[in-house]
């Protein structure tokens, strides 16, 4: 890899079996201080003969462009792989003031980030949260959707509280579910940090869509593609 200042880590088992590789290019490391302080993390399956998962961390640059910060290819997605990825991210990028991590509600991501970044806010993608609501509560989806997204984007606490009452009139069980998730993880008016309107993990989804065709490539070819993508 010809990108001086980059951070790469390759780990194998005692038998020489591939476990994971972590990559953060120098351009991303230098640029991080100028990007928005919101880090979106996600993972997606690979389809090569070796299978595996690619985990990514991305941010918006100063003009709103999606910028991959770091990525890792692991043999499987589990608590250890996510904690390891987030730990390597911290070692490489550190922690910024008002930093926030955004993801879906996958317990592995939430667990890993809380261990590695205990002082950093972890927020959830409102689209993933809405999909969870639909799975939990089977009726009145059209009405619930309208109220939920209005709650998420409400800027005044009195408006949020009025919408909570509207939701109670539709299905009282949803309030308890959202309270358990934590209002501060998805509601603008309850945020403890400024998410700069990054309410979703869409930038990770966009990155996944961009590398969709490369998921069948051998690992080295995939890594070359990701490096070129960052350097575009």
């Amino acid at each position: 890899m010809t990108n001086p200042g980059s951070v790469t880590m390759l780990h194998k088992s005692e038998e020489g079996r591939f476990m994971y590789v972590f990559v953060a290019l120098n351009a991303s490391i230098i640029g991080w201080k100028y990007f928005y302080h919101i880090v979106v993390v996600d993972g997606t399956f690979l389809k090569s003969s070796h299978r595996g998962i690619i985990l990514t961390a991305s941010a918006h640059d100063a003009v709103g462009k999606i910028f991959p910060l770091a990525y890792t290819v692991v043999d499987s997605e589990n608590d250890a792989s996510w904690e390891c990825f987030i730990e390597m991210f911290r070692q490489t990028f550190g922690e910024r003031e008002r930093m926030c991590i955004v993801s879906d509600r996958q317990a592995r991501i939430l667990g890993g980030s809380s261990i590695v970044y205990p002082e950093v806010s972890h927020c959830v993608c409102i689209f993933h949260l809405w999909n969870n609501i639909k799975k939990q509560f089977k009726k009145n989806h059209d009405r619930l959707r309208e109220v939920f997204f209005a709650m998420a984007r409400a800027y005044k606490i009195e408006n949020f509280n009025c919408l909570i009452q509207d939701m109670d009139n539709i299905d009282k069980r949803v309030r308890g579910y959202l309270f358990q998730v934590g209002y501060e993880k998805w509601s603008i008016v309850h945020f403890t940090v400024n998410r700069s309107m990054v309410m979703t993990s869409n930038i990770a989804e966009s990155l996944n869509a961009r590398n969709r065709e490369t998921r069948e490539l051998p690992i080295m070819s995939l890594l070359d593609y990701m490096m070129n993508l960052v350097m575009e």
Side-chain angles (χ1 to χ4, degrees), residues 38-57:
I38 312 298
V39 180
V40 179
V41 297
D42 195 24
T44 190
F45 291 95
L46 300 178
K47 300 178 181 179
S48 69
S49 59
H50 299 288
R51 301 299 178 181
I53 309 285
I54 183 169
L55 311 179
T56 61

Side-chain angles (χ1 to χ4, degrees), residues 3-151:
N3 197 269
S6 300
V7 174
T8 59
M9 303 178 195
L10 174 65
H11 181 69
K12 298 180 181 180
S13 68
E14 293 181 356
E15 297 77 24
R17 178 174 172 269
F18 171 82
M19 298 293 290
Y20 66 77
V21 59
F22 172 88
V23 179
L25 297 184
N26 187 50
S28 298
I29 297 171
I30 293 175
W32 166 233
K33 68 179 70 174
Y34 304 107
F35 298 162
Y36 288 117
H37 53 277
I38 312 298
V39 180
V40 179
V41 297
D42 195 24
T44 190
F45 291 95
L46 300 178
K47 300 178 181 179
S48 69
S49 59
H50 299 288
R51 301 299 178 181
I53 309 285
I54 183 169
L55 311 179
T56 61
S58 306
H60 284 294
D61 66 13
V63 295
K65 181 181 177 182
I66 298 171
F67 206 99
L69 294 172
Y71 45 93
T72 187
V73 176
V74 296
D75 59 342
S76 62
E77 185 179 19
N78 50 47
D79 294 348
S81 61
W82 269 112
E83 183 179 340
C84 182
F85 175 53
I86 297 171
E87 176 59 40
M88 289 187 289
F89 181 92
R90 183 184 183 114
Q91 291 176 16
T92 305
F93 293 91
E95 180 178 336
R96 281 177 56 184
E97 184 180 2
R98 299 181 296 113
M99 180 175 161
C100 175
I101 298 173
V102 178
S103 72
D104 60 24
R105 286 201 69 221
Q106 187 179 155
R108 293 164 179 164
I109 304 177
L110 296 171
S113 64
S114 64
I115 292 172
V116 178
Y117 279 115
E119 303 301 322
V120 170
S121 297
H122 192 137
C123 301
V124 298
C125 168
I126 58 173
F127 287 133
H128 282 93
L129 181 55
W130 166 244
N131 286 332
N132 289 342
I133 292 171
K134 288 195 297 183
K135 292 176 183 177
Q136 290 277 340
F137 309 99
K138 305 298 183 182
K139 298 180 180 179
N140 301 311
H141 286 172
D142 289 343
R143 295 170 64 197
L144 283 174
R145 177 187 174 88
E146 181 179 357
V147 174
F148 167 72
F149 282 103
M151 288 170 61

Side-chain angles (χ1 to χ4, degrees), residues 1 3 21-25 27-28 42 44 46 54-58 66-73 85 203-204 206-215 217-232:
M1 179 176 293
N3 197 269
V21 59
F22 172 88
V23 179
L25 297 184
S28 298
D42 195 24
T44 190
L46 300 178
I54 183 169
L55 311 179
T56 61
S58 306
I66 298 171
F67 206 99
L69 294 172
Y71 45 93
T72 187
V73 176
F85 175 53
I203 65 173
S206 297
L207 183 61
N208 289 340
R210 181 70 183 274
N211 65 33
R212 187 183 307 277
E213 294 182 359
T214 67
R215 296 180 202 168
L217 296 176
I219 290 176
M220 289 305 300
S221 298
L222 172 64
L223 295 177
D224 285 341
Y225 174 85
M226 292 297 294
M227 181 177 69
N228 292 330
L229 179 63
V230 174
M231 299 305 294
E232 283 184 357

